Amino acid sequence: MLSDDALSDLMANAAVIASVGVLSNPATRGYSVAAYQQSQGYKVLPVNTDRDMVLGHVTVPSVADIEEPVDIVNVVAHPQEAPAVTEAAIAAGAKAIWFEPGTQNHLAAQRAREAGLQVVTNRSFEREHRRLLSGH
């Protein structure tokens, strides 16, 4: 588990976040998290198979389809998708993978750690950002 200092550094030094599983429905938790991230200055790239627009960006079907470096892969998708998302994050050279509460998959998290990614599990990005970086 990452320390508060490591979490702060991760969030403070990130610019691009791939939001995997985010939908265009503002009533969903994933949308709320992605909207918060965007409001804090992050570039949020939505990843889902609906091919919708989310927060003003066209979605892509996979992290592998993102054509720029990604700092954090934020997972709001079903835990069954975690292994494939993790492999795509590793292949894309992401620095970290963040599993929102209810999305974590222990084998995927272990694989990501073994590949050198920072891994956050069962923590809300929005809650941690507000707790550690608000006012900075």
Side-chain angles (χ1 to χ4, degrees):
M1 180 176 284
L2 295 180
S3 68
D4 282 355
D5 286 343
L7 277 177
S8 293
D9 287 346
L10 173 61
M11 292 183 290
N13 293 310
V16 178
I17 298 175
S19 185
V20 179
V22 66
L23 302 174
S24 58
N25 181 350
T28 61
R29 179 75 184 128
Y31 184 96
S32 173
V33 171
Y36 175 79
Q37 291 166 336
Q38 188 165 292
S39 77
Q40 297 304 303
Y42 297 101
K43 181 175 184 180
V44 177
L45 303 174
V47 179
N48 72 38
T49 55
D50 292 342
R51 300 271 188 183
D52 288 333
M53 292 282 291
V54 178
L55 296 167
H57 298 280
V58 175
T59 63
V60 294
S62 168
V63 172
D65 297 307
I66 297 173
E67 297 178 356
E68 63 185 283
V70 173
D71 297 308
I72 299 172
V73 173
N74 187 233
V75 182
V76 295
H78 193 280
Q80 285 181 271
E81 297 179 42
V85 172
T86 298
E87 292 303 326
I90 292 166
K95 297 174 186 165
I97 190 162
W98 189 304
F99 296 99
E100 292 287 324
T103 67
Q104 65 273 11
N105 174 303
H106 297 294
L107 292 176
Q110 181 178 340
R111 169 73 177 114
R113 282 187 194 94
E114 290 169 356
L117 276 71
Q118 289 181 295
V119 177
V120 181
T121 60
N122 204 30
R123 289 186 173 192
S124 162
F125 184 97
E126 181 176 355
R127 187 176 320 119
E128 295 300 326
H129 190 276
R130 287 182 190 275
R131 182 175 72 86
L132 296 169
L133 296 181
S134 65
H136 286 77

mmCIF file of all heavy atoms in Angstrom, residues 84-103:
data_model
loop_
_atom_site.group_PDB
_atom_site.id
_atom_site.type_symbol
_atom_site.label_atom_id
_atom_site.label_comp_id
_atom_site.label_asym_id
_atom_site.label_seq_id
_atom_site.Cartn_x
_atom_site.Cartn_y
_atom_site.Cartn_z
ATOM 1 N N ALA A 84 -7.011 -7.607 -18.096
ATOM 2 C CA ALA A 84 -6.774 -7.043 -19.432
ATOM 3 C C ALA A 84 -6.387 -5.576 -19.342
ATOM 4 O O ALA A 84 -5.498 -5.108 -20.065
ATOM 5 C CB ALA A 84 -8.016 -7.218 -20.303
ATOM 6 N N VAL A 85 -7.037 -4.828 -18.451
ATOM 7 C CA VAL A 85 -6.706 -3.413 -18.268
ATOM 8 C C VAL A 85 -5.277 -3.279 -17.762
ATOM 9 O O VAL A 85 -4.513 -2.424 -18.224
ATOM 10 C CB VAL A 85 -7.698 -2.733 -17.302
ATOM 11 C CG1 VAL A 85 -7.241 -1.332 -16.949
ATOM 12 C CG2 VAL A 85 -9.100 -2.702 -17.907
ATOM 13 N N THR A 86 -4.895 -4.145 -16.844
ATOM 14 C CA THR A 86 -3.537 -4.103 -16.294
ATOM 15 C C THR A 86 -2.507 -4.374 -17.384
ATOM 16 O O THR A 86 -1.503 -3.660 -17.479
ATOM 17 C CB THR A 86 -3.401 -5.122 -15.145
ATOM 18 O OG1 THR A 86 -4.317 -4.752 -14.109
ATOM 19 C CG2 THR A 86 -1.985 -5.153 -14.594
ATOM 20 N N GLU A 87 -2.742 -5.375 -18.196
ATOM 21 C CA GLU A 87 -1.799 -5.681 -19.285
ATOM 22 C C GLU A 87 -1.695 -4.504 -20.256
ATOM 23 O O GLU A 87 -0.599 -4.171 -20.716
ATOM 24 C CB GLU A 87 -2.192 -6.963 -20.015
ATOM 25 C CG GLU A 87 -2.040 -8.215 -19.183
ATOM 26 C CD GLU A 87 -0.633 -8.438 -18.633
ATOM 27 O OE1 GLU A 87 0.367 -8.095 -19.299
ATOM 28 O OE2 GLU A 87 -0.528 -8.976 -17.501
ATOM 29 N N ALA A 88 -2.819 -3.869 -20.560
ATOM 30 C CA ALA A 88 -2.793 -2.701 -21.454
ATOM 31 C C ALA A 88 -2.046 -1.542 -20.813
ATOM 32 O O ALA A 88 -1.300 -0.823 -21.486
ATOM 33 C CB ALA A 88 -4.215 -2.289 -21.826
ATOM 34 N N ALA A 89 -2.227 -1.350 -19.509
ATOM 35 C CA ALA A 89 -1.520 -0.273 -18.793
ATOM 36 C C ALA A 89 -0.019 -0.513 -18.807
ATOM 37 O O ALA A 89 0.769 0.413 -19.027
ATOM 38 C CB ALA A 89 -2.035 -0.176 -17.359
ATOM 39 N N ILE A 90 0.382 -1.752 -18.595
ATOM 40 C CA ILE A 90 1.807 -2.099 -18.627
ATOM 41 C C ILE A 90 2.368 -1.841 -20.019
ATOM 42 O O ILE A 90 3.410 -1.192 -20.175
ATOM 43 C CB ILE A 90 2.007 -3.572 -18.209
ATOM 44 C CG1 ILE A 90 1.657 -3.758 -16.732
ATOM 45 C CG2 ILE A 90 3.435 -4.029 -18.495
ATOM 46 C CD1 ILE A 90 1.489 -5.213 -16.300
ATOM 47 N N ALA A 91 1.672 -2.332 -21.039
ATOM 48 C CA ALA A 91 2.130 -2.165 -22.421
ATOM 49 C C ALA A 91 2.198 -0.694 -22.830
ATOM 50 O O ALA A 91 3.075 -0.301 -23.603
ATOM 51 C CB ALA A 91 1.215 -2.930 -23.373
ATOM 52 N N ALA A 92 1.302 0.108 -22.287
ATOM 53 C CA ALA A 92 1.274 1.538 -22.631
ATOM 54 C C ALA A 92 2.332 2.341 -21.874
ATOM 55 O O ALA A 92 2.511 3.528 -22.144
ATOM 56 C CB ALA A 92 -0.111 2.106 -22.338
ATOM 57 N N GLY A 93 2.986 1.714 -20.914
ATOM 58 C CA GLY A 93 4.006 2.430 -20.148
ATOM 59 C C GLY A 93 3.440 3.344 -19.083
ATOM 60 O O GLY A 93 4.100 4.307 -18.683
ATOM 61 N N ALA A 94 2.227 3.050 -18.617
ATOM 62 C CA ALA A 94 1.637 3.867 -17.547
ATOM 63 C C ALA A 94 2.530 3.794 -16.307
ATOM 64 O O ALA A 94 3.206 2.796 -16.064
ATOM 65 C CB ALA A 94 0.233 3.379 -17.225
ATOM 66 N N LYS A 95 2.494 4.864 -15.530
ATOM 67 C CA LYS A 95 3.290 4.898 -14.299
ATOM 68 C C LYS A 95 2.557 4.229 -13.144
ATOM 69 O O LYS A 95 3.187 3.719 -12.221
ATOM 70 C CB LYS A 95 3.610 6.340 -13.934
ATOM 71 C CG LYS A 95 4.465 7.038 -14.966
ATOM 72 C CD LYS A 95 4.633 8.503 -14.647
ATOM 73 C CE LYS A 95 5.373 9.181 -15.781
ATOM 74 N NZ LYS A 95 5.275 10.624 -15.726
ATOM 75 N N ALA A 96 1.221 4.268 -13.191
ATOM 76 C CA ALA A 96 0.435 3.756 -12.069
ATOM 77 C C ALA A 96 -0.905 3.241 -12.552
ATOM 78 O O ALA A 96 -1.417 3.671 -13.591
ATOM 79 C CB ALA A 96 0.221 4.864 -11.036
ATOM 80 N N ILE A 97 -1.473 2.343 -11.749
ATOM 81 C CA ILE A 97 -2.844 1.891 -11.973
ATOM 82 C C ILE A 97 -3.580 2.067 -10.645
ATOM 83 O O ILE A 97 -3.047 1.738 -9.586
ATOM 84 C CB ILE A 97 -2.904 0.450 -12.508
ATOM 85 C CG1 ILE A 97 -4.327 0.093 -12.961
ATOM 86 C CG2 ILE A 97 -2.343 -0.546 -11.513
ATOM 87 C CD1 ILE A 97 -4.400 -1.124 -13.876
ATOM 88 N N TRP A 98 -4.749 2.658 -10.728
ATOM 89 C CA TRP A 98 -5.531 2.995 -9.533
ATOM 90 C C TRP A 98 -6.869 2.292 -9.641
ATOM 91 O O TRP A 98 -7.673 2.598 -10.515
ATOM 92 C CB TRP A 98 -5.726 4.502 -9.481
ATOM 93 C CG TRP A 98 -6.325 5.026 -8.218
ATOM 94 C CD1 TRP A 98 -7.515 4.662 -7.645
ATOM 95 C CD2 TRP A 98 -5.765 6.028 -7.376
ATOM 96 N NE1 TRP A 98 -7.722 5.375 -6.502
ATOM 97 C CE2 TRP A 98 -6.661 6.226 -6.304
ATOM 98 C CE3 TRP A 98 -4.592 6.787 -7.426
ATOM 99 C CZ2 TRP A 98 -6.429 7.154 -5.302
ATOM 100 C CZ3 TRP A 98 -4.360 7.708 -6.418
ATOM 101 C CH2 TRP A 98 -5.267 7.888 -5.359
ATOM 102 N N PHE A 99 -7.107 1.336 -8.743
ATOM 103 C CA PHE A 99 -8.370 0.603 -8.711
ATOM 104 C C PHE A 99 -9.300 1.276 -7.713
ATOM 105 O O PHE A 99 -9.039 1.263 -6.508
ATOM 106 C CB PHE A 99 -8.145 -0.857 -8.318
ATOM 107 C CG PHE A 99 -7.330 -1.636 -9.309
ATOM 108 C CD1 PHE A 99 -5.976 -1.857 -9.108
ATOM 109 C CD2 PHE A 99 -7.925 -2.153 -10.448
ATOM 110 C CE1 PHE A 99 -5.228 -2.581 -10.017
ATOM 111 C CE2 PHE A 99 -7.182 -2.880 -11.371
ATOM 112 C CZ PHE A 99 -5.825 -3.090 -11.155
ATOM 113 N N GLU A 100 -10.372 1.868 -8.206
ATOM 114 C CA GLU A 100 -11.359 2.492 -7.340
ATOM 115 C C GLU A 100 -12.018 1.419 -6.464
ATOM 116 O O GLU A 100 -11.994 0.236 -6.821
ATOM 117 C CB GLU A 100 -12.424 3.213 -8.176
ATOM 118 C CG GLU A 100 -11.909 4.428 -8.911
ATOM 119 C CD GLU A 100 -11.640 5.626 -8.012
ATOM 120 O OE1 GLU A 100 -12.383 5.856 -7.042
ATOM 121 O OE2 GLU A 100 -10.665 6.350 -8.304
ATOM 122 N N PRO A 101 -12.622 1.801 -5.339
ATOM 123 C CA PRO A 101 -13.288 0.800 -4.495
ATOM 124 C C PRO A 101 -14.269 -0.054 -5.293
ATOM 125 O O PRO A 101 -15.041 0.458 -6.103
ATOM 126 C CB PRO A 101 -14.016 1.659 -3.451
ATOM 127 C CG PRO A 101 -13.159 2.885 -3.341
ATOM 128 C CD PRO A 101 -12.686 3.146 -4.758
ATOM 129 N N GLY A 102 -14.191 -1.360 -5.077
ATOM 130 C CA GLY A 102 -15.079 -2.288 -5.764
ATOM 131 C C GLY A 102 -14.579 -2.762 -7.108
ATOM 132 O O GLY A 102 -15.231 -3.574 -7.765
ATOM 133 N N THR A 103 -13.423 -2.287 -7.548
ATOM 134 C CA THR A 103 -12.914 -2.667 -8.868
ATOM 135 C C THR A 103 -11.645 -3.499 -8.794
ATOM 136 O O THR A 103 -11.188 -4.003 -9.810
ATOM 137 C CB THR A 103 -12.614 -1.428 -9.735
ATOM 138 O OG1 THR A 103 -11.512 -0.716 -9.167
ATOM 139 C CG2 THR A 103 -13.820 -0.530 -9.847
#
